[in-house]
Structures are given as structure tokens and as C-alpha cells.
Amino acid sequence: MLNNLLSLVIWVPILAGVIVLATGSDRNAALARWVALAGALLGLIVALPLVTGFDTTTSAMQFVEKSAWIPAFNIHYHLGVDGISMPLILLNSFVTVLVVIAGWQVIQDKVAQYMAAFLIMSGLINGVFAALDGILFYVFFEGMLIPLYLIVGVWGGPNRVYAAFKFFLYTLLGSLLMLVSMIYLYFQSGGSFDIQTWHTTALGMTAQTLMFFAFLLAFGVKVPMWPVHTWLPDAHVEAPTGGSVVLAAITLKVGAYGFLRFILPILPDASHEFAWFVIMLSLIAVAYIGLVALVQADMKKLIAYSSIAHMGFVTLGFFMFNPLGLEGGLVQMISHGFVSAALFLCIGVMYDRLHSRQIKDYGGLVNKMPVFAAFFMLFAMANAGLPATSGFVGEFMVIMASTQVNFWFAFVAATTLIFGAAYTLWMYKRVVFGSVTNPHVEEMADVKAREILLLGVLAILVLAMGLYPKPFTDVMHVSVVDLLSHVARSKLP
Amino acid sequence: MRHALMQFAPVFPEMFVLAMVSLILVVDAAANGGKRYLAYLLSLVTLAGAAFLTLRDFSTLPVLTLGGLFIDDPLSDVLKLFLYLTVAVVLVYSRDYLRQRGLYKGEFFVLALFALLGMMVMVSASHFLTLYLGLELLSLSLYAMVALQRDSSVATEAAMKYFVLGALASGMLLYGMSMVYGVTGSLGLGDIAIALQDGTDLHIPLVFGIVFIVAGLAFKLGAVPFHMWIPDVYHGAPTAMTLFIGSAPKIAAFAFVIRILGQGLESQVSDWRGMLVILAVLSMALGNIAAIAQSNLKRMFAYSTISHMGFMLLGILAGSQNGYGGAMFYVLAYALMSLGGFGMILLLSRAGFEADRLEDFKGLNRRSPWLAFMMLLLMFSMAGVPPTVGFYAKLSVLQAVVEIGYVWLAVAAVLFSLIGAFYYLRIVKLMYFDAPHDTAPIAASPDARVVMSVNGLAILALGIMPQPLMAVCIHAIRASF
């Protein structure tokens, strides 16, 4: 059982998705929902032994599975996790449960297909984090585009077709160039698609430079980094709540994860050479996108831009090349997973009642929905990086790490604490406080048990991570140190 | 006596097909329009019988027979088996369509089987004469098939274009062959390879001949700039004929190219590689860009074929066994996808309704979620998105190209396939995001639905487990070269 743990983590949600699809038309919608919930919970349960059985003292891959898959090309079904990928798998399995519950009543059209798409995507994303073979990684990485394309396109808003195409083609562009790089690595490493073998493959500077930009495009689009971020606000605005949650909480992390698994260890010299470039893009994302978020009239767009700014922190932390920065980036990834999921769920709660995402349509919500306003307040504070919430920990670590490298990096990065607070709290003020001006707001009912459950669990996690982040950093620490040792070693022949 | 007969053993499948075609001609004439299903069933029996004969004599080593005209090797056996399968699927998909349009006649089956015979000869040819013989048998049958719908002016026009351009291509091919003959003094592919092994003084005439041969091959494959006939013929021909032209002959054309360039002119790889690079890049560029502008699905698939053939050429131009194996995998995967794509148009069509415009696919997910899902798999496979077989097809040819150091070509190829992804995604968009335009129930027969399901799921299954097919391709190439 324990030998195939990672396979279970990947295939249980996918199989559950297929079973959900088999429930057929909307006449069996209730059945589809329950099966989907069971599948998502089972997916989370099989992922739990990853935590309990995890050895935090080693940087080696754990729960490894390896068998020949396509011997003709020396491609293996090779899975394993370390301290970097394990928390992400858990985050994903957890968010899948949230998404299923969040779509419980809102989705009334093609319920089975909706739930199945999320479950299948969840399995594929777990595969991305667990794959140790380049082609296996690519298959999961690309495969997850298909359900996401359908989710945005079928259940999205009015401009969904444009958003779905933009999202798909942008990400495909990056990944195709990555594919060519992988094939090149295959020949350079003497015929291996093994990612860990690539970590020690010697590469010349020209090859490293070209591949660096190919991988940067592939993962930079997913993160998304400025200036290839423009698909994200469109996709978010048009996606259903569940789609937004998964996009923000998980798919963005896939891009950031790629930096740690591919770019830094495989191309260390190019990473050092072009660190300034990534740092510059990250700082632009933090500062400029923060300003862009300030002027958004649409709440989902605002949170989407805030995600880009927060992910800028993650990439900034990675390219400081010290443990504090890397761990800060990772903590920020997990924290952003919780906070952005919570904020999109909050917007979903409001949207379900008023069918508007425009800030100006709201106002005075606290009078009608006090419980909701309290939850929303906590998550807004976490998004602004208030101490004692998870949002603070990662940002603080990254700012500290960048102070060690260059004061001005830290200075620009720290502006996020101002901008973040400005755009989040200003939005919060306009939506929640003041007097009720829109007569429809008068009719809004406070959150129900299902919604309290969702938001409550997330609130506990956000606070727990903010007050005591040590368990999270402990899991990562050894793997991060090992990764940095790879980055420090030149691979030039 | 027995010994004398056994030397024909490698040719038994061809002889069997020929005998059965003659029988079908007679039976159909005798049935006099009454029992049409006889010809249909007999055709399927022919395919099964030929498959049995090919499997029984499955060769592990190349066997040259009929005085060096004919070769029976693992490559030809594997390709023949796929040809039977492809033609059988074509017949199942087309039956209802042909019946509704008054084309369900013995002629169709006879022409299809003659075309099959031509392809079998092409696949097994080891001599310029047999190559040409097979090619012409295939081409003449196809010209007639396109023109079978006599009262349709579009189909007649398509047949005319096909015939004139096809004849021109054959002429070029023959001219090129004659130049090679002049240089090497031989028409047998094996002898040509031996004659050219140590180089030749007559390099210029040889290259001249190769240019004409490559041009002729490019015509048959439909590679840019020799592609003009493809969109018109695909569009103008009745869909059942388009399905036929778009699937099995691609496999035969692959064999044709691999026999001439890979076996006969192997030592001249540095001469023909550059030509194929140009053809491949132009095909991928024009095919993918022009496909975007099409509103007719058959025409869109025609341009998509052009780009796929460009991709397939990448494998061949690598000039290595890996490359040939990759190209073979590509062409087999493509035949599978092409069958599904045109087959879907046939399944959705009904009497008086062709279902070949893009908007006819609107809202298919509401009308039939299962068929929409099959089409989704087909489209993502054509776009080369995993986990479908199309991805491994692209991977295997890209790998061959990178192996010979043409990384820039691989980059160009993936960029063009990105453009291609757009129009495949558009089909998915129409099926899943849009409301149905046409609400009539889908009148596909159960057997066609089953075959379509197998076809679609095969694309997924081969995408998850590509190893068996990949191993077959690599083995066939290794054992035959």
C-alpha cells in the first residue's frame, strides 16, 4: 500500500472523476456531487500518509516509484517527493475538497462534467508535483490544460471563450519550447529523461542560456510573471469560483515549482547570470502590478492582480539564492494558496447572492452579513500581510533575504506591504463598510453552514501558519539546502 | 509443384485481394443492384482474409521475391496490417453515408479494394517499376472514386484537378527515376543503394534526378509547394471518399518515401535532406496558417493534413532509424486521427445534410456528450497535447530532429504547432462552449458508433501506453534496414 502511495494520490482523483462522469446527465446531479465529494475526500485521505510518513532529515526523494514506461525512449514512470513538492501535493488535495464543496449549489448545469473536470485536474496536478521523469512531468503539465480549458470555457462568464483561448495558447507556447529543451537535455545527458540526472548534467553557457529562457517562458507564463501575466486576470474573471480557486491556489504554484525543479538546479550558471533579469521582473510585478490592482473596479480582477504581485515575491525569493529567500518563497506559495482560495471563495459567496463582482455594486455588507464580514476581514488582512497571518511570514522572510543581497531590492519589495494593504483594505472598505446604497444588498443573507465550514477551515489554517510556521519550514529545510548546493555548483564543462 | 507455389507465399495477400476483387465485381453485377450488402460483407471478408495471410507469413527478415521486384519485410507486413484496418474502418464509417447518397454500389468497394491492392504493392515494392505500378493503381482508383458522384459538379471538378495534377506528379517521378537509372544503371532499390554506396562521378545528374523524385513524392504527400490539389480534392470529394484519401494512402505514401529515399538513395541523404527541410517548414507553416481561415471542416482538415505531412517529413529527413521509426509512428497515429476526424463528419451527417461546416459542430456536447468527448480527444491529439497519441508522434519526430543537431527546426516545428493548436481548440470550443445550432437527433448506426468509440479511446490508450506501437515501429524499421 505504502509503496504505491504517490500513484494512489494521482490516480484516485482521476478515477473518481471518471466515475463521476459515468453518472451521466443532470438528472443524477445529486449523485454526481456526492461521488465527487467522496472522491475528493478519498484523494485527501490517501495524501495524508505523505505527511505522517515523511522523513524531514533527508533531502533524498521519498515514496519513490520507478518502472519502465516507454523503454523505446528510456522514459520511466518515476515518482517521488521531497520537502518542496510534498506540501504542494497536500495543498492541492485539500483545495480540491474545497472546490467540490464550493460548487455544490452554484453549478446546476452539467454538474457531473464540472466535478469530473476538477477531480481529473487535481490528479494531474499531483502528477506534476510528483513526477521525476521529464516527459512524465510534461504529460501531466500539459494534460492539466485540457480540463482547465473546459472549466473556464464552459462554466465561465460572458467573455469566457477569449479567456480560455488566451490562457491555453499562452501556456502552450511556453511548454512547447520547454519540450524542445527537454529533448535537448535528453541527448546531453546521454539518453535520459530523469530529472535528477539532469541536475548533474554538464552544460555549456550558450545551451544553458537558451534553455534558461525557454524554461523561463514555460514557467513564467504559469506563475505568471510580468509581462506574460495578461492571461491571468482574463481567465480569473471569466472562470467560475472553483476555477478561480484552483487557478490561484494551485496552477500558479506549478509554475513556481518548475523554477525549483528545473531552472535552478539544471541551469545554475544561467540562473546566476540572469538572476538580475528575473529579479527585475519580480520587482516590477510586486510594485507595478500592485498599483494596477489599486485601480480595479472588479473584485476578481483585483485579487488576480494581487496574486501576480504575491507570486512576484515568490520568484524574488527564489533568486536570492539563500535558504531564507527560498523558504520564504515556498511559504509564500502555500500561504497564497490558502489566502487566494479564501478570497475567491468570499467573492464567490457575494457573487452567488448579487451576481455582480463590481465593487461599486456593494457597500454596507457588514449590516447584512456580519459573520461573512468577519471572515472576509481576516483574509483581507492576510492578503495585506498583517503579522500573525500566514501572509506575513513568507513576505517577511523574502524581504529579510533580499536585504542580505541588496538593500534596494528589499526596499522595492517592501512597498508591497503598503500597496497590498492599500488595494485590499480599500476594496474591503468599499464593499463591507458604509451604508447600504444598492437595494439588492438589503436582501442578502449571511453565510450558511456550508460556507462557514469552507471559510472556517481556511481561517484556521491561515492563522495557524501565521502564528507557528515552523512545521512548514521544517519540512522544506533539508530539501532547500540540498537544492541550493546544486545551484552553487557550476555545470560549465 | 508445392515448392513452385511457395515462392509466391510472400505475395499471397496481394493475390488473394485481387481474386476477391474480381469475385466482388461478378457478384455485384449478378446481384444487379439488389443485395448491396453482399459487396460490403465480401469486402470486409477480403480484408480479414488478407490480414490472416499477412499474419501467417509474418516475416522476421526481408525476403526478396519475384525476381527482385517485390520485398516482404517486417516493415511491409506491419504497414499492410494497418492498411487493412484503416480500409475496414473506412468502410464501416462510410456505409450509411454512401447509402443515403446513392453511392452504395459495387463500384465503390471494387475501387477501394483496387486502391488497397495498389497500396500493398507500393508498400512491398523494391523496384522502381513496382513502386510506380502500385502508385498508379492507387491513383487511378482514387481519381475514379472522387468522380463516383457523377451528378455533382464539385466532385467532378475535384476529380479532374486530382487527375491532372496527379498525372503531372507521376510524370515528374518517372523523369527523376529515369535520371537515377541513367546514373546507376539499375531500377532495383537494392542495386541502386549498392551502386551509390561508394559515391558516383555523375553527381550532378543524380541530384537532378533526386530533385524530380522529391518533387513527385511531395506531390503525392501534399507537401508545400506541391499541395494545391489537397484542399480542393478533400473539399470537393464526397466525405466518404475524403475519408479514404485522407487515411490509408498516407501510410502507403510514407512507405513509398521511405523505400525510395531511405533504402534506395540512403547514401545521398545529404542531398535530399535539405530539400525535405524546405518542404517540411513550408508545409507546417502554410498548413497551419491557412487552416485557421477555413470555415469548412473538410478544407480545414485538408490544410491540417498538409501540416501533419510536414511534421512527418521531419522524421524522414533525420535520415536515421530513429527518425524513420518516429515518422512511421507519426503516420500511423495520423491515420488513426484522420479516420476519427472525417469519420465524425460522416457520423453526424444524414440524408441531405453534410455536417462539414464548422458551425455544424456547435453544441455537440449537448447533443451527444460521448461523441463530443471522442472528437475532443481527436482534436487534442491532432494538436499534440498529452495524454494523447499525437503528442508522442510529435515527440518522436522532434527527438529525431534534435538528434541530428537541427534544434532550430524543432523550435520552428513547435511554434507552428502552436498556431495549429488554435484551430483544433476552436472545434472544442464549438462543441463545448456554444449552444447547438442543429437539434436533429444524430442518426449514426450502432456499429459506426462502436468503431468511433474504439477509435477515440485508442487515441487515449495509445497516449497513456504508447510503448507497444512505438516498439512495433522501431522493430519494423530496424529489421527492415
Side-chain angles (χ1 to χ4, degrees):
Chain A
M1 163 83 184
L2 224 63
N3 295 335
N4 297 327
L5 199 57
L6 283 173
S7 286
L8 281 178
V9 167
I10 295 170
W11 294 104
V12 162
I14 294 180
L15 272 180
V18 174
I19 296 171
V20 171
L21 266 187
T23 62
S25 69
D26 281 345
R27 279 192 305 270
N28 302 327
L31 179 65
R33 288 189 188 106
W34 283 108
V35 174
L37 182 62
L41 282 173
L42 194 62
L44 181 60
I45 289 167
V46 294
L48 287 179
L50 287 180
V51 187
T52 52
F54 193 80
D55 179 1
T56 55
T57 58
T58 171
S59 65
M61 288 295 165
Q62 305 184 33
F63 307 101
V64 175
E65 291 172 40
K66 187 171 185 179
S67 51
W69 178 31
I70 312 175
F73 289 154
N74 198 14
I75 298 172
H76 291 89
Y77 180 74
H78 188 182
L79 303 173
V81 287
D82 60 2
I84 295 170
S85 47
M86 189 276 281
L88 294 170
I89 289 183
L90 218 65
L91 175 70
N92 177 41
S93 302
F94 169 70
V95 167
T96 307
V97 181
L98 294 188
V99 165
V100 169
I101 301 176
W104 202 262
Q105 282 174 344
V106 190
I107 302 297
Q108 293 293 343
D109 183 29
K110 288 174 274 194
V111 179
Q113 291 186 6
Y114 178 85
M115 295 295 181
F118 275 106
L119 285 169
I120 291 171
M121 186 162 64
S122 164
L124 293 174
I125 292 173
N126 280 341
V128 169
F129 292 133
L132 292 180
D133 182 282
I135 296 297
L136 188 63
F137 175 88
Y138 188 84
V139 167
F140 287 127
F141 189 77
E142 282 277 287
M144 63 179 260
L145 293 184
I146 300 176
L148 199 52
Y149 173 74
L150 294 177
I151 289 166
V152 174
V154 177
W155 293 276
N159 206 9
R160 60 190 196 274
V161 174
Y162 171 73
F165 270 81
K166 196 169 174 180
F167 147 77
F168 195 101
L169 293 176
Y170 261 60
T171 33
L172 191 63
L173 168 67
S175 23
L176 284 171
L177 291 176
M178 176 173 81
L179 180 64
V180 177
S181 304
M182 284 181 172
I183 297 174
Y184 182 80
L185 279 169
Y186 170 80
F187 288 109
Q188 288 303 308
S189 61
S192 170
F193 275 117
D194 188 78
I195 295 175
Q196 285 165 300
T197 308
W198 291 348
H199 287 184
T200 53
T201 305
L203 290 165
M205 197 60 203
T206 320
Q208 282 202 29
T209 307
L210 291 174
M211 279 196 277
F212 179 81
F213 284 102
F215 278 114
L216 185 65
L217 192 61
F219 298 126
V221 166
K222 270 255 172 41
V223 165
M225 297 176 77
W226 185 89
V228 284
H229 64 281
T230 57
W231 63 271
L232 186 76
D234 287 321
H236 263 312
V237 170
E238 301 306 333
T241 303
S244 285
V245 170
V246 169
L247 261 175
I250 310 296
T251 39
L252 307 191
K253 310 312 181 277
V254 171
Y257 170 77
F259 277 83
L260 300 182
R261 193 59 89 219
F262 289 88
I263 297 183
L264 292 183
I266 296 178
L267 312 164
D269 303 290
S271 300
H272 282 288
E273 182 76 24
F274 296 102
W276 64 270
F277 183 69
V278 178
I279 291 171
M280 192 186 72
L281 295 185
S282 308
L283 289 176
I284 292 176
V286 169
Y288 166 71
I289 299 293
L291 287 172
V292 173
L294 208 51
V295 296
Q296 297 305 316
D298 181 312
M299 284 188 282
K300 262 192 165 179
K301 255 196 166 135
L302 190 147
I303 304 300
Y305 279 111
S306 138
S307 291
I308 300 168
H310 281 102
M311 291 307 287
F313 250 93
V314 175
T315 45
L316 178 69
F318 289 171
F319 279 80
M320 291 296 123
F321 303 117
N322 56 33
L324 197 59
L326 260 171
E327 278 170 33
L330 276 165
V331 170
Q332 172 81 342
M333 275 161 75
I334 309 277
S335 151
H336 178 255
F338 293 143
V339 175
S340 63
L343 283 172
F344 279 117
L345 286 174
C346 287
I347 295 172
V349 166
M350 291 187 276
Y351 183 80
D352 294 346
R353 288 164 172 72
L354 204 65
H355 297 286
S356 167
R357 293 180 309 256
Q358 301 300 315
I359 295 175
K360 66 172 164 44
D361 290 342
Y362 292 87
L365 222 57
V366 69
N367 302 315
K368 291 288 142 195
M369 307 173 72
V371 181
F372 171 75
F375 276 121
F376 195 15
M377 175 66 134
L378 172 70
F379 298 129
M381 289 300 182
N383 199 45
L386 192 80
T389 63
S390 63
F392 173 73
V393 184
E395 289 183 9
F396 186 65
M397 285 166 83
V398 173
I399 291 173
M400 291 239 291
S402 38
T403 323
Q404 292 173 8
V405 176
N406 184 323
F407 169 76
W408 292 105
F409 292 168
F411 179 80
V412 179
T415 57
T416 192
L417 294 172
I418 303 163
F419 293 142
Y423 58 72
T424 318
L425 298 182
W426 191 32
M427 172 193 77
Y428 185 80
K429 181 220 142 204
R430 284 180 289 168
V431 170
V432 175
F433 295 141
S435 54
V436 179
T437 48
N438 184 342
H440 293 291
V441 172
E442 283 289 354
E443 298 152 18
M444 286 170 77
D446 207 343
V447 278
K448 290 191 282 289
R450 185 177 57 87
E451 292 157 334
I452 292 177
L453 175 75
L454 284 179
L455 298 175
V457 172
L458 281 166
I460 293 167
L461 284 166
V462 165
L463 285 173
M465 201 170 167
L467 292 170
Y468 191 59
K470 194 163 178 302
F472 293 92
T473 51
D474 277 353
V475 167
M476 303 160 185
H477 187 70
V478 185
S479 299
V480 165
V481 171
D482 178 63
L483 173 66
L484 282 168
S485 76
H486 277 291
V487 183
R489 217 175 296 140
S490 170
K491 293 173 89 178
L492 294 177
Chain B
M1 175 61 201
R2 185 175 161 72
H3 178 75
L5 199 62
M6 279 325 281
Q7 71 164 343
F8 290 109
V11 204
F12 278 168
E14 282 81 0
M15 292 161 86
F16 175 73
V17 170
L18 181 61
M20 288 300 284
V21 181
S22 314
L23 181 69
I24 293 170
L25 258 179
V26 175
V27 168
D28 188 67
N32 198 16
K35 294 169 177 138
R36 285 294 180 223
Y37 59 89
L38 266 182
Y40 174 73
L41 288 179
L42 276 175
S43 303
L44 290 180
V45 168
T46 309
L47 294 168
F52 168 74
L53 287 172
T54 306
L55 273 177
R56 203 196 54 170
D57 273 335
F58 198 88
S59 44
T60 46
L61 285 171
V63 180
L64 212 57
T65 182
L66 301 185
L69 288 172
F70 190 94
I71 192 167
D72 183 29
D73 54 8
L75 176 67
S76 65
D77 283 347
V78 170
L79 290 179
K80 275 181 206 169
L81 288 173
F82 276 97
L83 285 175
Y84 307 143
L85 183 69
T86 313
V87 173
V89 174
V90 168
L91 294 184
V92 176
Y93 283 158
S94 328
R95 197 190 52 206
D96 284 350
Y97 179 91
L98 293 171
R99 191 183 286 143
Q100 286 152 3
R101 280 155 192 79
L103 298 170
Y104 193 59
K105 304 184 238 181
E107 286 95 319
F108 174 77
F109 299 102
V110 171
L111 287 172
L113 290 179
F114 266 127
L116 172 70
L117 185 60
M119 291 188 271
M120 290 163 73
V121 173
M122 280 164 82
V123 163
S124 268
S126 64
H127 196 277
F128 276 156
L129 272 182
T130 26
L131 274 171
Y132 188 72
L133 185 75
L135 177 67
E136 284 308 288
L137 184 53
L138 167 68
S139 303
L140 287 172
S141 312
L142 292 183
Y143 303 148
M145 262 172 106
V146 174
L148 205 56
Q149 200 174 19
R150 270 177 316 207
D151 43 0
S152 157
S153 60
V154 190
T156 317
E157 186 192 330
M160 201 62 206
K161 272 182 187 155
Y162 194 14
F163 175 68
V164 171
L165 289 175
L168 188 66
S170 299
M172 288 216 243
L173 200 60
L174 275 184
Y175 188 59
M177 286 174 176
S178 71
M179 300 297 285
V180 173
Y181 176 69
V183 172
T184 61
S186 159
L187 287 171
L189 293 176
D191 299 335
I192 292 172
I194 292 167
L196 293 175
Q197 218 160 35
D198 306 318
T200 167
D201 309 334
L202 300 164
H203 192 245
I204 303 269
L206 180 64
V207 173
F208 198 69
I210 293 176
V211 169
F212 277 95
I213 287 182
V214 169
L217 295 177
F219 248 118
K220 296 299 174 189
L221 281 174
V224 180
F226 305 102
H227 65 285
M228 273 74 152
W229 61 275
I230 294 238
D232 289 337
V233 171
Y234 273 43
H235 185 190
T239 311
M241 318 306 177
T242 313
L243 168 66
F244 192 96
I245 298 171
S247 51
K250 302 295 172 198
I251 300 177
F254 160 77
F256 198 63
V257 175
I258 213 85
R259 292 274 183 218
I260 296 185
L261 296 183
Q263 291 187 324
L265 301 168
E266 195 185 6
S267 51
Q268 308 310 116
V269 58
S270 54
D271 289 325
W272 50 259
R273 178 180 284 163
M275 305 178 204
L276 293 197
V277 169
I278 297 170
L279 292 175
V281 171
L282 288 178
S283 303
M284 290 185 294
L286 186 126
N288 280 322
I289 293 169
I292 292 176
Q294 307 308 319
S295 60
N296 182 291
L297 202 56
K298 279 156 78 180
R299 230 179 156 78
M300 194 198 92
F301 279 145
Y303 282 106
S304 130
T305 303
I306 295 171
S307 76
H308 280 292
M309 288 302 114
F311 244 100
M312 196 265 287
L313 283 175
L314 293 181
I316 295 178
L317 68 85
S320 59
Q321 292 198 351
N322 283 344
Y324 299 151
M328 183 170 167
F329 186 85
Y330 200 100
V331 83
L332 294 180
Y334 176 72
L336 202 58
M337 298 187 279
S338 177
L339 277 178
F342 288 114
M344 193 61 81
I345 302 179
L346 290 173
L347 256 64
L348 298 185
S349 69
R350 52 181 183 269
F353 178 68
E354 290 289 336
D356 64 350
R357 290 167 311 157
L358 285 181
E359 60 253 43
D360 296 334
F361 276 74
K362 272 189 180 171
L364 186 61
N365 184 38
R366 287 197 187 273
R367 296 169 64 205
S368 168
W370 181 249
L371 287 182
F373 179 59
M374 293 298 121
M375 191 67 175
L376 169 104
L377 290 175
L378 287 165
M379 289 301 107
F380 279 116
S381 182
M382 286 199 184
V385 176
T388 55
V389 68
F391 166 67
Y392 299 95
K394 290 214 160 66
L395 175 68
S396 52
V397 294
L398 288 177
Q399 199 164 18
V401 168
V402 174
E403 191 177 15
I404 58 164
Y406 281 45
V407 180
W408 67 269
L409 191 55
V411 172
V414 297
L415 290 181
F416 288 127
S417 77
L418 175 74
I419 299 173
F422 172 77
Y423 58 83
Y424 298 123
L425 279 181
R426 190 169 55 185
I427 305 283
V428 178
K429 173 230 160 200
L430 291 171
M431 293 190 303
Y432 279 83
F433 305 173
D434 291 353
H437 170 70
D438 164 32
T439 45
I442 295 164
S445 62
D447 53 344
R449 277 175 193 263
V450 170
V451 173
M452 176 56 75
S453 309
V454 174
N455 191 339
L457 291 178
I459 281 175
L460 184 63
L462 284 172
I464 294 170
M465 277 290 153
Q467 173 62 20
L469 184 59
M470 201 88 91
V472 165
C473 291
I474 289 174
H475 171 76
I477 293 286
R478 290 224 174 107
S480 308
F481 273 77

